[in-house]
Amino acid sequence: MTSRFKTFAAVLALASSALAGSSAFAQGTTLLNASYDVAREFYKDYNAAFVANYKKTTGKDVKIDQSHGGSSAQARAVADGLDADVVTMNTSTDVDFLANAGMVAKDWNKKFPENASPTTSTMLFLVRNGNPKGIKDWDDLVKPGVQVVIVNPKTGGNGRYAYLAAWGYVKKKGGTDAQAAEFVGKLFKNVPVLARGGRDATTAFLQRNIGDALITFESEVVSIDREFGTGKVDSVYPSISIVAENPVAVVERSTKKKGTGELAKAYLDWLYSEEAQEIAAKHALRPRSQAVLKKYAATFKPLQLFTVQELFGSLGDAQKVHFNDGGQFDKLYTPGAK
């Protein structure tokens, strides 16, 4: 090997090393958050605030990418290879699914405070401006001639919570499981078509003009006002609804490969900061911080809430009884049936 060639080889090696280092740096400072459909606007604002805070406290630049869809569909995408560093879902069963697949820690719900759920939400109704059908509570949704838009409980946590909220409404009023099943069956007979995810449901209701009411998360009201303009819909708070937790977890399979574990933890930790909790409240996500919750009391109107644990044991238990193939939902709902 000539000295000229040796010099060229050394330069090439140094260049390769620098590129490899640059690649590792880029991987280590970019994070992908796989999240549920209607959380995209919240995380857009949260990401900007987190990036600024991370720069201020560590001096490091980071980039956050988002991926959104129905929560269960997102969980399946991660299991199938979507290289997300963190998941921020709307049901614990979707995170449990990833834990059982070895993607996240088995004890993921103990890795962060409040059952690893930095915010909660609840299910309410959106009706067309002026509420022309006079919808005030769950009983109004099962009346003949009322069409209701709901996410498919098989594909989205939004839909599962809507189903369980309706079931729990009957139970909290003293009804039996048989009466709850009859009520939910009537409700789904008023569903013209099941949406794939929360945003798909909103699009069907507002852009395709399907239905008289949309059952969705409380936070979707803010998103609709921002996207479609205020005055398009009225929000209706039913007398009874369900607490919907928003669980988060580090995708350890991805972070170990990409070296992003520390950044992923910092990203999820900061969701509990007062600044992040305030951003959540502005997007109508119920904050865990009692101080922020009190500050935004006008946003979160009082209603009687019950938890999944109170009536169904856990979301996992509810999944087995109601949403697995051959479960209660399959017995109650036949596509196209009237």
Side-chain angles (χ1 to χ4, degrees), residues 274-315:
E274 291 295 294
E275 186 176 346
Q277 293 278 291
E278 182 141 350
I279 295 170
K282 288 177 180 176
H283 285 270
L285 288 167
R286 295 186 176 228
R288 292 292 195 180
S289 165
Q290 293 303 303
V292 177
L293 186 64
K294 184 177 180 181
K295 182 178 177 181
Y296 286 85
T299 300
F300 303 108
K301 296 176 182 175
L303 72 164
Q304 183 182 347
L305 293 171
F306 65 88
T307 64
V308 171
Q309 292 77 13
E310 180 183 348
L311 293 185
F312 303 98
S314 68
L315 275 176

Side-chain angles (χ1 to χ4, degrees), residues 36 38-48 66 119 223 226 271 276-281 283 285:
Y36 60 101
V38 300
R40 71 186 70 222
E41 286 80 12
F42 162 63
Y43 278 106
K44 184 179 178 182
D45 288 351
Y46 173 76
N47 291 344
Q66 298 177 225
T119 61
S223 299
R226 288 178 179 171
L271 283 166
Q277 293 278 291
E278 182 141 350
I279 295 170
H283 285 270
L285 288 167

Side-chain angles (χ1 to χ4, degrees), residues 10 21 155 183 212 235 246 309 312 324:
T155 60
F183 184 85
D212 304 297
S235 55
N246 301 318
Q309 292 77 13
F312 303 98
N324 281 354

Side-chain angles (χ1 to χ4, degrees), residues 27 63 88 101 107 125 149 189-190 221 230 240 289 324:
Q27 288 182 350
K63 180 175 179 289
T88 56
D107 60 344
F125 315 150
V149 177
K189 282 180 180 172
N190 281 355
V221 179
T230 56
I240 299 172
S289 165
N324 281 354

Side-chain angles (χ1 to χ4, degrees), residues 211-223:
D212 304 297
L214 165 66
I215 305 179
T216 191
F217 289 119
E218 186 175 37
S219 57
E220 186 67 345
V221 179
V222 175
S223 299

